[in-house]
C-alpha cells in the first residue's frame, strides 16, 4: 500500500490509475533490501567452483552475508554519505586533539562487518577446521561489501596487510606486540592507513619531502601528507627519506607510525583538515602533518644506520599489487550494483506501452552491462584466486575493472533518466564513489608503466600468455569459432608485445595504453571461455558460453565494413537467459 498522499493533480482529466501506476513509488525498490548472495547466480556459480566440497558448509554463511550487505549495510551507507565524518580539531582548552568523529551509521556498519567478516582470524581457523578454503569466501565478502560501500571497504582494508606484514618483519618486539593487539580482529579491521601522497604528487614518489631522523632505536618523522585515507586509524605506514639520504627513489623508506607513542602519550600526528570529496565519504581522507612523530623503520636492522637499504619503495610496491586487486574489486562492486539497479529500474519503469527492459535499445544496453560486468568479475576473481598469481595481472585487471565501475555507473544513471541524476536515487552515489577507483593505487598511465616494467624486467608476459592459453583449452565444445578467435588473438598479443619492444622509447611508452587494453581484452575473453567450460560441466548450461561469445565479438572480432550491424542478434534473442543468469529478484 502506498505511504504517500493522493494530491489534486493525481485526478486531472488526462491522468488516471494506469498512468499513475507508472510512477508509483512502491514499485521502485532497487537493490537495497535484497539478499545479494541469493540474487546473484554468477557469484553462486563461482563459489561452487572455487569451494568444491566446502560449498555446503559455506553457503549458509554466504547467504547470511548477502542479507547483511544488501540490508543494513546498504542502508547505512546512504546515511553515512549524507552525514560524513567530521574533524574535531581542538578540545575545550584549545589543545590539538585531531580527532575524527565518525557518524553512528558508520560505526554500526563497521561493527557488524568486522564481527561477521570472512577474513577475521577466528573465522579463517573455523573454516580450515572444517576443511574449507577460506580464501574464496573472503573474496565473496569483499565483492558483496563493495556493492554497498567502497568507502567502507577502504576504511576497513587500506594497507592492513602492509602494516602487519612489514611490522612483523622489521619492527622492534614491543611494537610488534602492540600492532598485534590493534589487529586482533584481522587485517580488515579499519586500524591501518598507508600515507604516501604529498603535494608534489602521488605518482612521483621520488619527489616526496617527509624526513626521518634517528632517535635511538626509533626515528623522529616530520612531513606533510596531502591525501591520507582512513585518517581515523591507529597504525600507519608512512613513506619518508632519512636525513642525509639520496633525494630520490632509493632514499625512500617505509616507517611505522602509531597513533600513540610507546609511553602511551599522543604521537605527533596532526590532522590539518578532512578532504571535501566527491564520493567515498564513509572513509575519512585527510591532510596529515607529522611533527616529531615517533616512527619505526620498516627495513632490515643492518641498514638502520643508512636509513634503509634502498629497497623500501620496491618492497612496498610488491605489496601494492594486492592493494590494486582491492581497488579492482571496488570497481567491480560499483559495476555490479549499477547493473542490478539498472535491471530493477528497467523492469519497473514503463514507457511507450511496455517496460523499458522490453525495449530493443534498452535490452542492448542491459546485455552489454551484463557481459562487461561478468568479464570484469572473471578478471578480478582470477586475480585473487588464480594460481600462480600473475605478476602482470593486477595492473591489467585494475585498468579494466576500475574504469568499468565508472562507465557502468554512468550507464545506470542514463537508464534511470533524470531520476538517476538525483541523489535520492542510489546510482548518483555509485558514480561519485566509482570515480576514485581509477585514481587510487595508480591511474591508467601508472598501471601501463607497471606493465612495461613487468615485461622488460621479468618477461612477465610469458606466464600471462601461458595462463590465457590454458584457459582457452578448457573452453566447452560446441563453439569452436570463439575459442579459435581467442586463441588467434593470444598469438596476436605475443606479436604485439614483440613489435612494441622494438619501438623507439618514447613511442613505445605512448603505445603502452592500447597494448595493455588489448592484453586485458584477450585475458577476459579467455577466462570467460574457461568459465563456460566449468559451467557446462557443472550444470550443462551454455549461458556463460553465450557471454564469452558476445564479449569476444565485441572486443576481439573484426567488425567488418558494416561495423557489426549484420552480426547475430543473440543479445536480444537470448536476453532472458542473460538477464536471469545475472540477477534474480526474489521479490517478483
Amino acid at each position: 500500500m502506498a505511504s504517500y498522499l493522493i494530491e489534486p493533480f493525481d485526478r486531472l482529466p488526462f491522468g488516471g490509475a494506469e498512468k499513475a501506476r507508472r510512477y508509483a513509488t512502491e514499485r521502485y525498490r532497487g537493490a537495497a533490501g535484497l539478499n545479494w548472495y541469493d540474487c546473484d547466480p554468477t557469484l553462486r556459480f563461482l563459489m561452487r567452483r572455487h569451494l568444491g566440497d566446502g560449498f555446503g558448509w559455506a553457503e549458509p554463511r554466504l547467504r547470511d552475508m548477502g542479507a547483511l550487505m544488501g540490508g543494513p549495510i546498504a542502508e547505512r551507507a546512504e546515511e553515512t554519505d549524507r552525514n560524513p565524518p567530521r574533524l574535531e580539531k581542538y578540545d575545550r582548552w584549545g589543545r590539538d586533539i585531531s580527532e575524527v568523529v565518525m557518524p553512528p551509521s558508520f560505526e554500526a556498519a563497521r561493527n557488524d562487518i568486522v564481527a561477521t567478516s570472512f577474513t577475521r582470524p577466528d573465522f579463517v581457523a573455523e573454516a580450515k577446521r572444517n576443511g574449507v578454503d577460506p580464501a574464496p569466501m573472503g573474496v565473496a565478502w569483499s565483492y558483496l561489501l563493495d556493492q554497498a560501500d567502497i568507502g567502507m571497504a577502504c576504511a576497513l582494508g587500506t594497507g592492513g596487510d602492509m602494516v602487519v606484514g612489514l611490522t612483523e618483519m622489521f619492527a622492534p618486539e614491543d611494537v610488534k606486540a602492540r600492532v598485534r593487539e590493534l589487529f586482533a580482529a584481522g587485517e580488515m579491521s579499519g586500524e591501518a592507513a598507508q600515507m604516501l601522497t604529498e603535494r608534489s604528487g602521488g605518482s612521483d614518489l621520488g619527489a616526496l619531502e617527509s624526513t626521518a631522523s634517528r632517535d635511538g632505536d626509533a626515528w623522529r618523522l616530520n612531513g606533510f601528507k596531502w591525501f591520507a585515507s582512513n585518517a581515523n586509524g591507529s597504525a600507519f605506514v608512512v613513506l619518508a627519506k632519512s636525513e642525509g639520504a639520496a633525494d630520490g627513489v632509493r632514499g625512500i623508506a617505509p616507517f611505522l607510525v602509531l597513533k600513540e607513542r610507546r609511553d602511551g602519550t599522543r604521537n605527533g600526528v596532526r590532522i590539518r583538515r578532512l578532504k571535501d570529496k566527491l564520493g567515498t565519504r564513509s572513509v575519512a581522507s585527510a591532510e596529515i602533518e607529522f611533527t616529531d612523530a615517533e616512527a619505526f623503520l620498516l627495513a632490515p636492522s643492518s641498514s638502520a644506520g643508512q636509513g634503509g637499504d634502498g629497497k623500501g619503495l620496491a618492497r612496498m610496491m610488491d605489496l601494492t599489487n594486492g592493494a590494486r586487486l582491492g581497488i579492482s574489486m571496488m570497481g567491480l562492486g560499483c559495476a555490479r550494483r549499477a547493473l542490478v539497479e539498472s535491471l530493477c529500474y528497467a523492469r519497473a519503469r514503463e514507457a511507450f506501452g511496455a517496460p523499458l527492459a522490453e525495449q530493443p535499445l534498452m535490452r542492448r544496453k542491459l546485455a552489454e552491462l551484463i557481459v562487461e560486468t561478468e568479464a570484469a568479475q572473471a578478471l578480478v576473481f582470477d586475480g585473487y584466486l588464480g594460481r600462480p598469481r600473475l605478476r602482470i595481472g593486477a595492473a591489467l585487471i585494475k585498468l579494466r575493472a576500475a574504469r568499468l565501475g565508472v562507465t557502468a555507473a554512468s550507464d545506470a544513471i542514463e537508464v534511470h533518466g533524470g531520476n538517476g541524476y538525483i541523489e535520492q536515487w542510489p546510482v548518483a552515489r555509485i558514480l561519485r564513489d566509482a570515480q576514485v577507483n581509477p585514481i587510487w593505487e595508480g591511474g591508467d598511465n601508472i598501471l601501463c608503466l607497471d606493465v612495461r616494467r613487468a615485461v622488460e624486467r621479468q618477461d612477465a608476459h610469458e606466464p600471462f600468455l601461458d595462463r590465457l592459453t590454458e584457459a582457452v583449452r578448457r573452453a566447452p565444445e560446441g563453439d569452436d569459432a570463439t575459442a579459435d578467435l581467442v586463441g588467434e588473438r593470444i598469438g596476436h598479443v605475443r606479436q604485439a608485445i614483440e613489435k612494441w619492444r622494438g619501438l623507439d622509447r618514447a613511442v613505445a611508452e605512448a603505445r603502452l595504453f592500447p597494448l595493455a587494453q588489448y592484453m586485458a581484452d584477450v585475458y577476459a575473453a579467455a577466462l570467460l571461455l574457461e568459465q563456460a567450460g566449468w559451467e557446462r560441466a557443472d550444470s550443462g548450461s551454455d549461458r556463460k558460453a553465450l557471454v564469452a561469445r558476445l564479449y569476444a565479438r565485441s572486443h576481439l572480432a573484426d567488425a567488418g565494413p558494416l561495423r557489426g550491424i549484420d552480426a547475430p542478434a543473440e543479445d536480444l534473442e537470448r536476453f532472458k537467459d542473460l538477464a536471469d543468469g545475472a540477477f534474480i529478484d526474489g521479490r517478483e
Side-chain angles (χ1 to χ4, degrees), residues 235-246:
F236 317 129
V237 168
V238 184
L239 287 186
K241 294 170 182 171
S242 60
E243 196 168 6

Side-chain angles (χ1 to χ4, degrees), residues 137-151:
M137 298 186 72
V139 175
W141 175 80
S142 295
Y143 172 74
L144 292 167
L145 172 58
D146 285 331
Q147 293 173 54
D149 189 357
I150 67 168

Side-chain angles (χ1 to χ4, degrees), residues 319-452:
L319 296 170
T320 295
N321 272 339
R324 283 178 175 162
L325 285 175
I327 304 303
S328 302
M329 184 65 87
M330 292 178 188
L332 173 60
C334 291
R336 171 68 190 177
R337 179 71 182 275
L339 168 62
V340 174
E341 296 291 353
S342 296
L343 286 168
C344 287
Y345 190 86
R347 289 171 176 175
R349 181 65 169 167
E350 295 175 4
F352 310 110
L356 292 181
E358 294 180 11
Q359 312 284 355
L361 277 170
M362 182 58 72
R363 285 195 164 188
R364 182 209 66 81
K365 171 52 68 179
L366 294 172
E368 179 186 83
L369 274 172
I370 291 167
V371 169
E372 295 296 329
T373 300
E374 291 189 29
Q377 183 189 60
L379 288 169
V380 174
F381 275 67
D382 190 67
Y384 274 103
L385 300 174
R387 293 292 181 270
R389 183 171 287 184
L390 298 170
R391 163 64 181 88
I392 211 169
L396 295 175
I397 294 166
K398 182 180 182 295
L399 187 72
R400 180 54 48 84
R403 185 63 57 186
L404 177 64
V406 178
T407 58
S410 179
D411 285 340
I413 286 178
E414 187 175 352
V415 169
H416 285 68
N419 288 336
Y421 202 63
I422 305 303
E423 292 288 354
Q424 274 188 296
W425 296 78
V427 287
R429 178 178 70 88
I430 298 170
L431 179 60
R432 288 191 286 103
D433 285 357
Q435 189 60 65
V436 79
N437 292 323
I439 300 171
W440 274 344
E441 302 299 343
D444 289 354
N445 291 345
I446 296 301
L447 298 173
C448 289
L449 292 173
D450 189 49
V451 170
R452 181 177 71 182

Side-chain angles (χ1 to χ4, degrees), residues 505-546:
R505 190 70 175 173
V507 175
E509 182 172 315
R511 297 289 184 267
L512 275 168
F513 185 76
L515 176 63
Q517 290 285 0
Y518 193 9
M519 296 168 76
D521 285 341
V522 182
Y523 188 12
L527 293 177
L528 286 171
L529 280 173
E530 181 179 60
Q531 288 190 359
W534 295 346
E535 184 186 60
R536 181 70 58 81
D538 179 65
S539 64
S541 171
D542 71 338
R543 180 188 172 278
K544 193 64 80 169
L546 170 64

